[in-house]
Amino acid sequence: MKKFSVVIAGGGSTFTPGIVMMMLDNIDRFPMRELVLYDNDGERQAVLGEALEILLKEKAPDLKFSYTTDPKEAFTDKDFCMAHIRVGKYEMREKDEKIPLRHGVIGQETCGPGGIAYGMRSITGMLEIIDHMETYSPDCWMLNYSNPAAIVAEACRVLRPNSKVLNICDMPVGTLRRMSQIIGKDPQDLEVRYFGLNHFGWWTSVKDKEGHEYLDQIRDYVAENGYLTQVEVDTQHMDQSWQETHKKAKDLLAVNPRYLPNTYLKYYLYPDYEVAHSDRNYTRANEVMNGREKEVFSAARTIIETGTAIDGGFHIDSHASFIVDLARAIAFNTHERMLMIVENNGAIANFPDDAMVEVPCIVGNDGPEPLAQGKIPAFEQALMFQQVTVEKLVVEAYVEQSYQKLWQALTLSKTIPSAKVAKDILDDLIEANKDYWPELH
Ligand code: NAD
Ligand code: G6P
Ligand code: MN
């Protein structure tokens, strides 16, 4: 069987060890000959790189492994780039969350003004790694998790239309694991219909392979409990703030009982509640820095100090299963069905062709083929049109270096009450992002 050469871009990510552990666990299904970590912060990456070197010597001695900050070394002779970069790191995520909150507006990694600010930073970083990939391995595929995926996907559509970049999100996969637990099924045995934008969508069907529909059964459960399940179903989305998010799906369903909502809709449908329940001085970025980031990096340091990873430390991350399945679908032409962020082109019949939407696709070695989801109702369509226009305006603002368009993007966001508040937030964001954003005129 062919063996693949893989680069992980954003090698210093908190998710890198979990992805590597998942790939090791799947080495028979997705054989690898080489694995390289690439990051532009060599010091951060070296901690994980050194620990993984010890782990891989013990668990997969035949796998060639290295870590580097040199693009040529990293991207030469690669079949797949798994990307999860965070331009500006947690320091900037914290600002994305805290600046809007100071103005009484949602402060969130990917939604509202925080997501817009992050998008303006991410585009530059994404273009950089796409160009490295195409320079050194023109046939390589990039499987991209880097957020905000909606804005990144639109930027790829506009600025790198022919690049082999697939943008994906693990939230629907994680929520499907919860649904499967609610109905006592294996997630592998479920097939869904779904439409929306990234972090902005709805399930219209959840069936088993025999064609039995579970939508009503899941809806009854979610109406009471949201997606909160009884037992731990996951390795991520488990902190208390995530439990609140799973629970809030109950209120999302109440306003729109027809379909099962993506949890991220809470930032658009209940922004006042979310702001009232946020701590302006301690946001999700602080939770993650004091939680996942500390855990992962201290596990790495322990491995380095003891010189062995036999006693654990790093854990398989369920978030990573999607990326392995996707790599397999392309490598082995499996035609597996999975949700992807793709150009609409009629998949949602009554939505613009050039919108980047999230829909089920059949994935083979030519990439994703979107499945038609038909016409969607006016309520969802109108919400989506507002949001997709925000995302398009952000990319236009980036390309044209337009203050006006970014102000419009913020003004249009359902999370912001007025053009005045949008401008106040924008001016603060410009100041905070001056090392990252293109200059706006
Ligand atoms: P992190 O800060 O721990 O890791 C990101 C790494 O990217 C850092 O080591 C940083 O130095 C590096 N980096 C930044 N800019 C770079 C560039 N231009 N080139 C190379 N490396 C660069 O962040 P994290 O919490 O582990 O998350 C990583 C990314 O994955 C984020 O974008 C996050 O939003 C995303 N993510 C997405 C999904 C999804 O559903 N799509 C799920 C989980 C995480
Ligand atoms: C989900 C989303 C990702 C997002 C992540 C944030 O998995 O799909 O897009 O990056 O949550 O999780 P965190 O634990 O970093 O807040
Ligand atoms: Mn996501």
Side-chain angles (χ1 to χ4, degrees):
M1 208 187 317
K2 185 171 178 200
K3 290 188 171 188
F4 298 95
S5 176
V6 175
V7 53
I8 297 183
S13 158
T14 57
F15 292 104
T16 295
I19 289 191
V20 174
M21 295 295 280
M22 178 59 90
M23 291 201 294
L24 279 185
D25 203 45
N26 283 273
I27 200 88
D28 297 336
R29 297 170 67 232
F30 182 68
M32 284 191 293
R33 61 186 162 88
E34 180 170 10
L35 176 65
V36 182
L37 308 187
Y38 168 76
D39 205 290
N40 64 1
D41 180 342
E43 217 176 300
R44 181 182 174 89
Q45 174 174 257
V47 181
L48 302 184
E50 216 179 304
L52 283 168
E53 192 161 46
I54 293 167
L55 182 139
L56 289 169
K57 263 201 192 111
E58 290 174 341
K59 299 206 169 178
D62 297 339
L63 178 62
K64 189 174 162 203
F65 175 76
S66 60
Y67 51 98
T68 179
T69 55
D70 176 32
K72 184 173 181 196
E73 244 176 73
F75 287 91
T76 300
D77 180 35
K78 290 297 170 300
D79 302 302
F80 289 97
C81 172
M82 321 244 173
H84 52 202
I85 63 170
R86 182 187 291 288
V87 177
K89 294 179 278 190
Y90 283 112
E91 187 194 341
M92 291 307 294
R93 177 175 181 175
E94 188 178 5
K95 290 185 183 169
D96 291 344
E97 293 169 350
K98 289 185 177 172
I99 290 171
L101 279 173
R102 284 210 302 262
H103 297 270
V105 168
I106 286 289
Q108 214 281 324
E109 180 196 22
T110 63
C111 301
I116 291 172
Y118 186 14
M120 291 288 285
R121 293 196 302 277
S122 270
I123 297 173
T124 308
M126 283 301 299
L127 296 179
E128 207 177 273
I129 59 173
I130 292 169
D131 292 348
H132 290 325
M133 175 178 91
E134 297 191 329
T135 304
Y136 298 112
S137 287
D139 295 328
C140 186
W141 284 92
M142 184 178 290
L143 314 183
N144 181 54
Y145 265 129
S146 314
N147 266 322
I151 291 170
V152 166
E154 170 65 8
C156 290
R157 187 189 72 79
V158 173
L159 298 168
R160 293 293 181 278
N162 301 315
S163 297
K164 290 162 79 169
V165 181
L166 302 179
N167 294 292
I168 52 173
C169 172
D170 62 9
M171 195 73 241
V173 184
T175 304
L176 187 67
R177 272 197 292 272
R178 289 173 176 276
M179 293 181 190
S180 69
Q181 212 224 340
I182 292 165
I183 57 177
K185 289 271 155 187
D186 188 332
Q188 302 293 337
D189 296 335
L190 296 175
E191 263 179 10
V192 307
R193 288 173 63 77
Y194 182 100
F195 69 84
L197 313 170
N198 179 236
H199 291 182
F200 204 104
W202 294 265
W203 283 266
T204 61
S205 168
V206 180
K207 285 186 180 178
D208 62 22
K209 296 271 160 71
E210 287 74 50
H212 181 82
E213 178 63 79
Y214 291 95
L215 202 67
D216 284 345
Q217 193 184 334
I218 301 170
R219 193 192 277 120
D220 289 347
Y221 183 94
V222 176
E224 290 281 316
N225 312 288
Y227 295 118
L228 215 53
T229 50
Q230 306 308 319
V231 239
E232 292 199 1
V233 287
D234 227 327
T235 55
Q236 58 168 167
H237 310 138
M238 292 305 294
D239 288 348
Q240 187 52 39
S241 56
W242 270 110
Q243 306 294 353
E244 297 298 326
T245 296
H246 302 311
K247 203 157 81 186
K248 194 69 185 165
K250 171 185 171 161
D251 297 334
L252 295 172
L253 190 72
V255 74
N256 186 16
R258 189 160 171 186
Y259 302 137
L260 294 166
N262 188 302
T263 53
Y264 275 93
L265 286 162
K266 74 172 187 172
Y267 298 109
Y268 303 95
L269 300 183
Y270 294 100
D272 49 351
Y273 175 92
E274 292 305 324
V275 170
H277 289 81
S278 299
D279 181 345
R280 288 165 190 227
N281 301 312
Y282 195 83
T283 58
R284 179 66 189 154
N286 301 109
E287 275 181 20
V288 178
M289 285 187 271
N290 290 324
R292 185 173 69 238
E293 190 182 39
K294 274 217 172 88
E295 282 157 27
V296 169
F297 280 82
S298 77
R301 289 198 176 91
T302 305
I303 292 172
I304 296 166
E305 277 158 26
T306 57
T308 174
I310 295 284
D311 298 330
F314 289 154
H315 304 288
I316 296 182
D317 182 356
S318 46
H319 146 104
S321 61
F322 186 17
I323 214 157
V324 173
D325 290 342
L326 177 56
R328 269 178 54 76
I330 291 166
F332 301 118
N333 205 22
T334 64
H335 290 121
E336 194 175 326
R337 179 174 171 146
M338 41 188 92
L339 294 196
M340 312 273 300
I341 305 163
V342 292
E343 192 164 337
N344 184 35
N345 286 327
I348 299 167
N350 51 345
F351 207 64
D353 279 349
D354 66 355
M356 293 306 284
V357 297
E358 197 164 307
V359 289
C361 297
I362 299 294
V363 187
N365 58 14
D366 288 332
E369 294 178 60
L371 294 169
Q373 300 303 300
K375 283 192 181 162
I376 59 173
F379 177 72
E380 292 84 341
Q381 186 204 36
L383 285 168
M384 279 169 58
F385 192 65
Q386 178 180 22
Q387 177 60 20
V388 84
T389 307
V390 172
E391 290 157 8
K392 283 181 173 296
L393 281 167
V394 173
V395 174
E396 284 175 28
Y398 178 95
V399 173
E400 298 166 25
Q401 297 181 242
S402 165
Y403 181 97
Q404 195 76 43
K405 285 204 167 159
L406 204 56
W407 183 16
Q408 288 179 356
L410 287 157
T411 303
L412 189 62
S413 174
K414 197 164 160 45
T415 58
I416 299 181
S418 78
K420 160 80 168 62
V421 176
K423 194 170 198 306
D424 292 346
I425 294 176
L426 176 55
D427 291 339
D428 283 2
L429 290 175
I430 289 173
E431 179 57 29
N433 283 278
K434 56 181 185 301
D435 294 341
Y436 297 97
W437 285 8
E439 204 178 319
L440 303 179
H441 310 291

